[in-house]
Amino acid sequence: MQEYKHSVSLDVKKCRGCTTCLKRCPTEAIRIRDNHAQINSKRCIDCGECIKVCPHKAKKAVHDSLDSLADFQIRVALPAPAFYGQFDNIDNIDVIIEGLYRLGFDYVFEVAGAAEMVSAYTRMYLERKDVKRPVISSACPVITRMINMNFPYLKDHVMPILPPIEVAASVARERMEAEYPDLDPDQIGIFFISPCTAKVSYVKNGFAGKQNNIDRILSMRDVYFKINDIIEKIDEPEHTAASGMIGIGWASTGGESSAIFNDKYLAADGIENCIKVLEQIDNEDFTGLDFIELNACSGGCVGGAMTVANPYIAQARLQILKRYLPVSPNRPADTKIPEKYFVDESVSFDPGHLLSDDRNTALRMMSEIEAITAELPGLDCGSCGAPTCMAFAEDIVKNETSADECTVIMREMFHDYLVNHKETTLSDAYRDFMDRSGKTREKKSE
Ligand code: SF4
Ligand code: SF4
């Protein structure tokens, strides 16, 4: 299996090992070792939570720079719908699109327009009798990766239709290649303006093996700071915006669901809530629902780690922008979903947390983990560098750490040492004890 490319990186020099991110990572992918955070790439789902919570700005999103516009002769911008909610005091979308042109893009294709096409295809898909219900949206890459890793029985529920980002890129590339038949296709650069890290990973890894059409992925934050001053000087922009209420609605939770024109849906956001919903669908606790929309970020894409505005303020701004827009000007003429927008297999199971490929070994390790967990204090304090006592026990069983990293155990050991060395001073006792602990660790790693 091809190695998964991630979009969250750590600046070790800035990390203080404070454990804030450790406690918020939904997949227990983070450990604190050698006084700084480490990310287990097999477990990370690129949700960006650790970027949002790090008080020292040590976690960073990986994305392309605006300088990469120079890599192409024709530059096409694909702004995500959440982009429009970043700006204050804007009456219409035209001014933002004009700002993108002035920044150096030659064409702008709104992802909101492609979202309206995907909404129409979703309605067609839900009319089919042979689909597994509830159908789970494939738009949030964190959710599809989470299903991929932890919910194998739900993979057949994921809608096998490309998400709006990819439909927009494919329409943009087709049109550009038709408009510039003599131009080397490599000179056409498709730039997605992303609200989140997960979509960066989507672009790097593709969706269910499909090659995507996006060449560069820009941070919404970077583009916002570049064009905010530009758009303040635009008085009368040309009318170029082509998306409607439905497409813009995809930026926040409930927008995608409301476009299926069917009230048998559930829309949730926030990674913890989404995990609970997936667990309940897995347990068949939900019946009678046709569609599930899950957004890992609070508020939906407006809450992504590469946005600028508070997600709820962005949502309120989008409400105002939507007011005078048509409902859905980008409905496709197709009466059935074009084959090119289908994926053969929506997600493939890729468990990130297996203890061993061998079932017997995994069972033995599990029982060791349970036994060690029972001996640990159960405080889940994080000071050992693992998020919970059970995760710490798992690390011990995998030989990734040793029991004396637990501060409670260490305190008890030190207490016993002091009882047996009453004659030494406290500082000598401490030094001697630490030396001995170091020897103990060396012995374990032999
Ligand atoms: S939140 Fe995580 S990455 Fe940031 S300083 Fe603390 S341990 Fe390091
Ligand atoms: S991006 Fe999300 S899953 Fe990955 S380490 Fe950070 S919090 Fe954990």
Side-chain angles (χ1 to χ4, degrees):
M1 190 177 288
Q2 197 189 333
E3 199 178 331
Y4 196 83
K5 298 180 191 105
H6 288 281
S7 53
V8 177
S9 71
L10 175 82
D11 183 340
V12 176
K13 286 194 203 110
K14 287 189 179 167
C15 176
R16 309 264 182 96
C18 69
T19 75
T20 308
C21 59
L22 177 85
K23 291 174 188 157
R24 293 292 295 273
C25 174
T27 57
E28 298 189 342
I30 301 175
R31 297 291 184 273
I32 309 295
R33 303 264 196 262
D34 302 326
N35 298 321
H36 64 77
Q38 290 179 357
I39 300 176
N40 178 336
S41 67
K42 284 196 173 160
R43 287 182 173 229
C44 175
I45 53 173
D46 294 296
C47 67
E49 266 314 294
C50 54
I51 298 178
K52 292 181 209 167
V53 300
C54 176
H56 305 290
K57 305 213 177 316
K59 290 263 171 63
K60 284 190 192 145
V62 176
H63 53 78
D64 293 305
S65 129
L66 270 161
D67 294 343
S68 59
L69 261 76
D71 297 345
F72 302 91
Q73 276 184 46
I74 299 293
R75 286 79 61 107
V76 182
L78 306 181
F83 189 51
Y84 310 139
Q86 306 306 306
F87 301 88
D88 201 9
N89 293 323
I90 296 291
D91 299 326
N92 59 60
I93 296 165
D94 294 327
V95 71
I96 300 171
I97 294 178
E98 178 77 33
L100 288 170
Y101 282 119
R102 293 196 190 180
L103 185 62
F105 288 102
D106 302 294
Y107 293 87
V108 177
F109 281 78
E110 295 178 74
V111 177
E116 289 172 16
M117 293 170 66
V118 174
S119 288
Y121 295 141
T122 306
R123 292 192 292 272
M124 290 177 200
Y125 186 69
L126 289 172
E127 276 170 17
R128 285 171 44 171
K129 300 279 178 265
D130 60 337
V131 300
K132 275 213 167 176
R133 284 162 209 270
V135 171
I136 303 173
S137 164
S138 59
C140 177
V142 174
I143 301 301
T144 51
R145 178 127 167 94
M146 178 68 90
I147 291 172
N148 200 359
M149 286 168 57
N150 295 345
F151 297 93
Y153 299 115
L154 294 183
K155 70 188 189 72
D156 294 339
H157 289 256
V158 178
M159 193 165 67
I161 297 174
L162 289 173
I165 161 178
E166 190 51 46
V167 172
S170 134
V171 170
R173 184 159 294 285
E174 269 171 29
R175 289 204 198 150
M176 290 299 97
E177 288 185 6
E179 194 148 334
Y180 297 95
D182 299 329
L183 189 66
D184 177 352
D186 288 348
Q187 281 305 314
I188 298 169
I190 312 278
F191 291 73
F192 177 60
I193 301 171
S194 179
C196 71
T197 46
K199 290 194 169 78
V200 178
S201 300
Y202 163 78
V203 170
K204 287 185 187 175
N205 296 289
F207 184 68
K210 282 240 172 184
Q211 186 60 42
N212 62 58
N213 283 295
I214 295 161
D215 300 294
R216 298 286 186 273
I217 186 146
L218 301 174
S219 154
M220 195 166 275
R221 178 182 291 265
D222 284 1
V223 182
Y224 167 85
F225 284 117
K226 274 280 178 198
I227 73 164
N228 199 27
D229 288 345
I230 298 176
I231 64 176
E232 274 176 16
K233 294 177 194 128
I234 300 172
D235 283 336
E236 289 192 19
E238 221 181 293
H239 175 55
T240 48
S243 50
M245 295 169 93
I246 282 187
I248 307 286
W250 273 65
S252 41
T253 304
E256 180 186 359
S257 301
S258 61
I260 64 170
F261 304 155
N262 169 345
D263 55 9
K264 291 187 200 157
Y265 73 82
L266 177 156
D269 61 25
I271 188 68
E272 277 95 6
N273 294 331
C274 292
I275 292 170
K276 280 185 196 140
V277 170
L278 289 171
E279 284 167 354
Q280 287 190 262
I281 307 172
D282 211 18
N283 293 335
E284 300 185 356
D285 285 354
F286 291 129
T287 50
L289 287 180
D290 279 340
F291 188 71
I292 308 272
E293 173 194 337
L294 298 174
N295 295 292
C297 293
S298 295
C301 293
V302 284
M306 299 202 292
T307 58
V308 181
N310 171 295
Y312 301 100
I313 292 175
Q315 199 171 340
R317 289 175 184 159
L318 290 171
Q319 278 302 113
I320 295 168
L321 281 176
K322 279 193 313 190
R323 224 170 7 186
Y324 301 111
L325 292 180
V327 175
S328 180
N330 296 284
R331 287 190 195 202
D334 315 299
T335 50
K336 55 184 213 174
I337 309 164
E339 270 313 307
K340 63 182 175 180
Y341 294 145
F342 268 110
V343 286
D344 299 334
E345 189 187 7
S346 52
V347 285
S348 55
F349 184 45
D350 170 23
H353 58 280
L354 280 188
L355 292 170
S356 167
D357 291 337
D358 176 61
R359 189 177 143 77
N360 288 337
T361 309
L363 286 172
R364 179 186 50 75
M365 290 171 81
M366 195 61 229
S367 78
E368 280 179 37
I369 291 168
E370 280 167 9
I372 295 172
T373 307
E375 297 293 320
L376 293 172
L379 298 175
D380 294 342
C381 62
S383 53
C384 58
T388 62
C389 290
M390 190 163 196
F392 180 53
E394 181 178 331
D395 294 349
I396 294 172
V397 170
K398 287 172 161 173
N399 284 325
E400 291 171 3
T401 190
S402 59
D404 58 7
E405 291 296 332
C406 169
T407 50
V408 177
I409 289 180
M410 194 71 163
R411 195 177 58 194
E412 284 166 6
M413 285 163 67
F414 190 49
H415 177 264
D416 291 348
Y417 178 92
L418 288 177
V419 168
N420 293 323
H421 296 79
K422 287 199 175 102
E423 72 291 351
T424 45
T425 63
L426 191 59
S427 58
D428 284 346
Y430 177 74
R431 261 194 298 276
D432 185 34
F433 177 76
M434 293 309 281
D435 283 350
R436 285 168 191 244
S437 304
K439 275 183 199 143
T440 311
R441 259 191 232 116
E442 272 168 28
K443 245 186 202 164
K444 279 194 172 161
S445 61
E446 269 169 15

